[in-house]
Amino acid sequence: MLVTAFAAVQLGAGATMQRAAAGQAGAATRADFAVTGTTADRVRAVPGVAAATDVLRSTVVLAHTEAGDPRLDRLPALGVDAAGLTGTLDPGVVTGDLGGLAVPGTVALGADRADAMEARPGSVVTLRLGDGTETRLRVVAVYERALALGEFLLPAGDLARHMTDPSPARVLVAKEPGADPAAVRAGLAALGAVQAGPEPTPEQVVRDGEELGGLVSTAVVVAIGGLTVIAVISTLVLITVGRRGEFALLGRVGATRSRLRRMLRTEAAVVAATGLLLGAAVGALPLTAFAVSTAGTPPFLPPLQAAAIAATVAITAYAGILLPAKQGRFGRS
C-alpha cells in the first residue's frame, strides 16, 4: 500500500501536469505553419498568408512572499504580436482582450497567476524582465492556457528590447481560407524560412528546472520505494519462516507440497492485490484533488509506470512469501 500510494502520487502529479500542458498546447496552437529564420513582418507579405506572429521566449522575475518570506521566482514568458494571433495562437481568453497587447507596456496573465496577484484587466503589475529591468505593465487580458503558454504574454517588441538575442524562436503562420498550402510553403521557403515539419509543433514553454525536477522526483520514488520494498520483504520473510511449524502440521494431516505452494501463491496474490487496491485508493484522493485544482483535469498515470508499480508489488509479495517457503521442506510430495 505504501509503495503503491507513494509512487502513484509522486509520478502521477508530474504526468498529470505534463499531459494537461500538452493538451493545452495542442488546443492553443492554431497555425498552419511554423517557421524559423525570418520574422512575422516578412512572412505577412507572402501571398496566401492571413496572419503571422513572432514568438519570443524569455523569462520574467516575480517578487512575492510565501509563508511570510520574500521570494523571487523566474517564470517563462512569451512575446507575441497582437495583430497576428488570430488563427495562429489561442491562449483561451477568460476576460479582457488580447488586442490590447498592441500597445507597449501591457501584459496578459494566466488565470491562476492573475488570481494570485489579485489582478484583472486594467490592473498594473510590477515585473522584472529577463535583463533585470523592473517595469510596470497594465493588464489587458486573462487567459486559461497558462500551463502551455506560460503565465505572461507580452508584446514581442517590449520583450525583444530586454533579450540578449531578440530573434523570434519561431514564427507561427496562418494561411488564408482556400489558399494552396504548397504555394504558401514555397513562398515561405523563398524568404529563407525553415519549416520544422509538415505540421507545426504545439507551442509550449519549458519551465526552468522542469526536466531536472522530473529526474529528481523519479529518483526519490526509486529510493524511497526501494527502501519500503526491502522492509516489506524482510517482514514477510520473517512471517513465512515463523510459519514452518504450521506447514509441517499441514503436511502431517495430508497436505501435499503442491497444495501448500498453491495456498502460498493465493496468499501472495491476496497480499499484492490488497496492497494495490488500498494504495490506489489512498493515492487517488490527494492526486485527484491536486489534478482538479491545478490542471483542471482527472489524474493521469502513464500505463508503463502503473504496470511497473503493479509488477514491483507482485514481485515483493512473491519474494517475501514464496521464496522463503521454498527454502524449507514442507508437505508431502
Side-chain angles (χ1 to χ4, degrees):
M1 184 182 72
L2 287 172
V3 171
T4 303
F6 176 74
V9 171
Q10 284 292 110
L11 299 176
T16 298
M17 294 296 287
Q18 291 175 1
R19 190 170 190 243
Q24 289 187 9
T29 306
R30 304 291 180 84
D32 298 301
F33 308 97
V35 297
T36 60
T38 186
T39 63
D41 288 338
R42 299 181 64 200
V43 167
R44 293 188 190 107
V46 174
V49 170
T53 178
D54 290 323
V55 177
L56 282 71
R57 297 176 183 173
S58 184
T59 57
V60 299
V61 178
L62 179 65
H64 66 105
T65 59
E66 185 173 301
D69 297 325
R71 287 196 57 178
L72 291 176
D73 287 338
R74 184 175 293 275
L75 302 169
L78 291 184
V80 296
D81 299 321
L85 290 178
T86 303
T88 60
L89 197 64
D90 179 14
V93 174
V94 176
T95 181
D97 183 6
L98 289 175
L101 291 176
V103 180
T106 54
V107 66
L109 301 178
D112 289 342
R113 182 57 58 185
D115 289 342
M117 300 177 71
E118 298 182 349
R120 60 184 185 277
S123 301
V124 176
V125 297
T126 301
L127 301 174
R128 288 188 180 275
L129 300 181
D131 62 353
T133 302
E134 185 175 276
T135 182
R136 290 169 59 83
L137 303 172
R138 181 172 59 86
V139 179
V140 297
V142 175
Y143 56 92
E144 62 181 356
R145 292 175 178 143
L147 290 177
L149 304 180
E151 297 170 307
F152 302 94
L153 293 178
L154 287 82
D158 284 2
L159 203 59
R161 287 194 292 271
H162 300 276
M163 296 174 61
T164 303
D165 181 7
S167 302
R170 62 178 184 166
V171 179
L172 297 179
V173 185
K175 68 180 182 65
E176 293 177 347
D180 181 11
V184 176
R185 190 176 291 110
L188 294 172
L191 292 177
V194 178
Q195 189 170 345
E199 295 293 336
T201 303
E203 187 64 40
Q204 185 172 348
V205 298
V206 178
R207 289 167 173 79
D208 288 346
E210 184 175 359
E211 184 175 350
L212 178 60
L215 293 176
V216 170
S217 179
T218 302
V220 168
V221 170
V222 171
I224 296 181
L227 291 174
T228 306
V229 165
I230 292 173
V232 171
I233 290 178
S234 300
T235 301
L236 290 175
V237 167
L238 290 175
I239 293 173
T240 303
V241 171
R243 297 172 64 191
R244 285 182 176 174
E246 172 191 339
F247 299 151
L249 176 60
L250 289 172
R252 286 195 293 270
V253 297
T256 64
R257 187 172 301 177
S258 61
R259 287 176 179 175
L260 288 176
R261 286 174 177 165
R262 188 162 57 248
M263 177 191 76
L264 291 175
R265 283 195 295 269
T266 302
E267 289 182 2
V270 170
V271 170
T274 302
L276 287 171
L277 292 175
L278 290 179
V282 171
L285 295 176
L287 188 56
T288 300
F290 169 82
V292 172
S293 62
T294 305
T297 64
F300 172 72
L301 184 64
L304 286 178
Q305 294 183 358
I309 294 173
T312 299
V313 172
I315 292 172
T316 299
Y318 178 88
I321 295 176
L322 292 180
L323 293 184
K326 286 184 177 181
Q327 304 303 316
R329 299 176 67 181
F330 52 83
R332 298 182 304 171
S333 59

